[in-house]
Amino acid sequence: MIKALIFDVDGTLSETEEAHRKAFNDTFVAEQLEWFWGRDEYRRLLKVAGGKERLRYYRDERGETHPSDTQIQQIHARKTERYRALLARDEVALRPGVKALITQARVSGLLLAIATTTSRSNVEALCLANWSKPAAEVFDVIASGDEVNYKKPHPEIYQLALERLGVMPEDAVAVEDSSIGLAAARAAGLACVVTPSVYTEGDDFTTARWLVPSLDEWMAEFRNLVA
Ligand code: XBP
Ligand code: MG
């Protein structure tokens, strides 16, 4: 029987990427930066995990030197503020099956963790919007992008979550929506269930143990795993 579930956040718990994209674009306007990320552009840029890394990658790709790395830190901080405001205002809903799976996992005595590229404050905003609780009251362990040196597809974030859980990789399952998240989970030795999201539909998920449109459709498998 497995002991823990480790959840990705963006695209997995919720379709948050449109709110991230809007927060980036609003910040570009506020910073008088003539950048705009349309949906196709953003899909391509999502292959770079992490907002700061994505901003630096885009600048470098355009052969520009402005904004500097220091300015990118500030732009990203402003984007995070904007993202939190959007979540508080619009209430980005959880994906189908997420709440039920988390409730069922608790009933079955499992530990619950987060392994995300995004920052801790964004996890808090999502939990407050959807559970009306701080993240630590929903999850036992939270490993976020601001705590690691290397972002997904590097396994560091999953290794950190496993270490904090005190669980071996073979005793846990990762829940992901993207090929880079899946690669990170697999590199940490975890089996992974993938629910593709609007921005990751069509990615290569051949190394996933399970591939389902939504977590609703994984519930029967999950019950077998904890039976
Ligand atoms: C997905 C991401 C994130 C968000 C932006 O994270 O790549 O970088 O797009 O978040 P995950 P920040 O799927 O691992 O949750 O701007 O806060 O970095
Ligand atoms: Mg994701």
Side-chain angles (χ1 to χ4, degrees):
M1 178 172 139
I2 60 164
K3 295 180 181 157
L5 288 180
I6 310 178
F7 288 86
D8 168 53
V9 173
D10 293 307
T12 298
L13 291 184
S14 174
E15 292 280 10
T16 49
E17 288 298 354
E18 274 303 276
H20 279 294
R21 189 174 73 87
K22 183 163 178 19
F24 279 116
N25 284 327
D26 288 353
T27 307
F28 298 157
V29 172
E31 293 283 327
Q32 295 173 325
L33 198 55
E34 287 185 8
W35 289 0
F36 173 78
W37 290 351
R39 286 201 171 93
D40 289 344
E41 182 84 304
Y42 195 62
R43 184 186 309 279
R44 186 179 66 79
L45 291 170
L46 276 174
K47 295 288 176 262
V48 182
K52 288 189 283 290
E53 292 78 359
R54 196 168 299 144
L55 290 163
R56 282 199 294 267
Y57 175 88
Y58 186 72
R59 176 202 60 196
D60 294 347
E61 184 183 60
R62 290 163 67 93
E64 295 174 1
T65 50
H66 174 82
S68 67
D69 286 357
T70 311
Q71 286 168 322
I72 281 185
Q73 298 276 357
Q74 289 156 6
I75 290 168
H76 187 259
R78 200 160 178 186
K79 174 261 167 181
T80 299
E81 261 176 49
R82 180 75 188 127
Y83 175 78
R84 286 171 61 87
L86 287 174
L87 251 60
R89 198 187 68 193
D90 292 337
E91 198 178 311
V92 178
L94 298 175
R95 289 187 62 186
V98 168
K99 214 165 210 172
L101 176 61
I102 286 177
T103 303
Q104 184 62 49
R106 279 281 176 231
V107 169
S108 307
L110 264 66
L111 292 167
L112 297 173
I114 289 286
T116 178
T117 297
T118 202
S119 51
R120 173 68 188 251
S121 68
N122 289 350
V123 179
E124 289 300 340
L126 190 70
C127 288
L128 282 176
N130 286 289
W131 278 277
S132 305
K133 283 182 189 173
E137 288 181 26
V138 184
F139 299 96
D140 301 292
V141 159
I142 296 151
S144 54
D146 31 20
E147 300 181 282
V148 289
N149 294 313
Y150 304 103
K151 296 198 170 165
K152 299 173 186 178
H154 195 280
E156 188 179 0
I157 196 74
Y158 276 105
Q159 288 161 344
L160 180 63
L162 284 164
E163 188 187 308
R164 289 182 178 163
L165 284 166
V167 163
M168 300 300 288
E170 55 272 27
D171 293 325
V173 170
V175 188
E176 272 287 353
D177 73 302
S178 69
S179 55
I180 57 173
L182 170 62
R186 297 294 298 130
L190 289 153
C192 189
V193 53
V194 173
T195 55
S197 56
V198 285
Y199 275 110
T200 62
E201 195 69 58
D203 276 12
D204 179 2
F205 297 123
T206 42
T207 63
R209 177 83 58 90
W210 306 272
L211 179 60
V212 283
S214 86
L215 287 172
D216 276 341
E217 296 180 46
W218 191 61
M219 199 58 109
E221 288 283 358
F222 173 73
R223 289 207 175 91
N224 284 337
L225 283 176
V226 295

